[in-house]
Amino acid sequence: MSEDSLDKLMYSFVVDDVLKGLFIYVPPGYVACVYDLGRGVLKKVMTPGLHLKIPFWQKAKLFNVQTLEYSISRQFNMEHERALGDIPIAAVTQDGKRVSVEGTMLLRLDIHQVPSIWQTVGEDFVAKIVRPAIRSRIRMVFSRYDFQDIIGPKRDAVETELKNELERIFYPRGIYVENVLLSEISQISGGNGNVAASEPAHH
């Protein structure tokens, strides 16, 4: 993986405070949020372009408001806590099968709610809200279906239900769920954690 794509991954939704000095340049696809020592997080976001701020008194942070992939896969590195993604998620189906789930969620921040996200949750909202919610909703939805249905006729229904559940949690917090795609569902055999059968998605 190139350094550039690793940077993109690490600073998925939030770019660290590199906006020092008098000017803030906001690139396309981003907004800047300003923290003012006197007034706290300002409600108005800065849209793409060049802006002025008060050095030392105001601190700015860039937020990516493009649609981003939250990828659940074996390639994900858990060391990057703020990065968008996760390792395969273990779940138990309605008929008691233990499975390992991989897939992709397409997420996007609501521009107008970025200041509120930063103020109430902070910049670690992927680790605090997004990742735990996706894990718990996957486990909850999978527990409602039999394994054969999930990998067969009801896969679309599972994806739709998962999207609806995530929207219910994320939408009030300013995060849009644009799509949910399950790419691989593998059955875990016995107690040794070995993957027995792997069923890639047929989309």
Side-chain angles (χ1 to χ4, degrees):
M1 189 182 275
S2 74
E3 200 65 24
D4 183 40
S5 60
L6 184 68
D7 277 354
K8 264 200 185 125
L9 182 74
M10 283 182 69
Y11 300 126
S12 49
F13 274 139
V14 188
V15 177
D16 271 354
D17 187 23
V18 288
L19 310 173
K20 310 232 184 304
L22 187 64
F23 292 101
I24 301 171
Y25 170 67
V26 183
Y30 288 80
V31 294
C33 231
V34 175
Y35 176 79
D36 182 283
L37 280 177
R39 293 178 290 164
V41 176
L42 303 185
K43 293 215 171 358
K44 193 175 185 309
V45 297
M46 293 177 172
T47 51
L50 200 60
H51 304 268
L52 277 170
K53 75 173 171 72
I54 308 164
F56 309 112
W57 187 257
Q58 292 181 332
K59 176 175 115 166
K61 200 167 278 284
L62 284 179
F63 287 80
N64 191 333
V65 289
Q66 299 165 95
T67 299
L68 297 174
E69 274 191 18
Y70 183 97
S71 180
I72 302 165
S73 80
R74 278 164 268 198
Q75 277 75 50
F76 184 74
N77 183 351
M78 283 304 287
E79 283 176 27
H80 306 313
E81 269 217 331
R82 286 186 204 167
L84 272 181
D86 204 350
I87 53 175
I89 294 161
V92 179
T93 60
Q94 188 170 251
D95 53 346
K97 302 275 196 303
R98 289 187 66 233
V99 294
S100 167
V101 184
E102 295 182 56
T104 302
M105 322 294 166
L106 296 182
L107 306 174
R108 181 167 59 86
L109 293 181
D110 176 351
I111 289 176
H112 306 293
Q113 291 206 55
V114 167
S116 149
I117 293 172
W118 192 21
Q119 187 156 21
T120 57
V121 187
E123 58 209 60
D124 295 330
F125 59 93
V126 170
K128 286 181 184 170
I129 290 176
V130 177
R131 196 170 291 126
I134 288 176
R135 284 177 183 173
S136 72
R137 296 301 111 167
I138 283 178
R139 288 177 182 135
M140 187 179 88
V141 171
F142 269 60
S143 71
R144 296 171 179 166
Y145 292 86
D146 288 348
F147 177 66
Q148 289 304 327
D149 286 339
I150 294 170
I151 63 173
K154 294 193 178 163
R155 185 189 285 263
D156 287 350
V158 172
E159 289 175 342
T160 303
E161 193 171 330
L162 192 49
K163 182 174 186 279
N164 293 341
E165 286 289 347
L166 290 172
E167 277 176 342
R168 217 158 48 79
I169 294 175
F170 290 159
Y171 185 72
R173 291 189 157 99
I175 303 166
Y176 294 118
V177 182
E178 297 199 340
N179 205 358
V180 169
L181 209 60
L182 298 172
S183 57
E184 197 163 308
I185 298 153
S186 318
Q187 193 177 338
I188 304 168
S189 66
N192 57 7
N194 289 338
V195 171
S198 186
E199 292 286 341
H202 305 294
H203 279 283

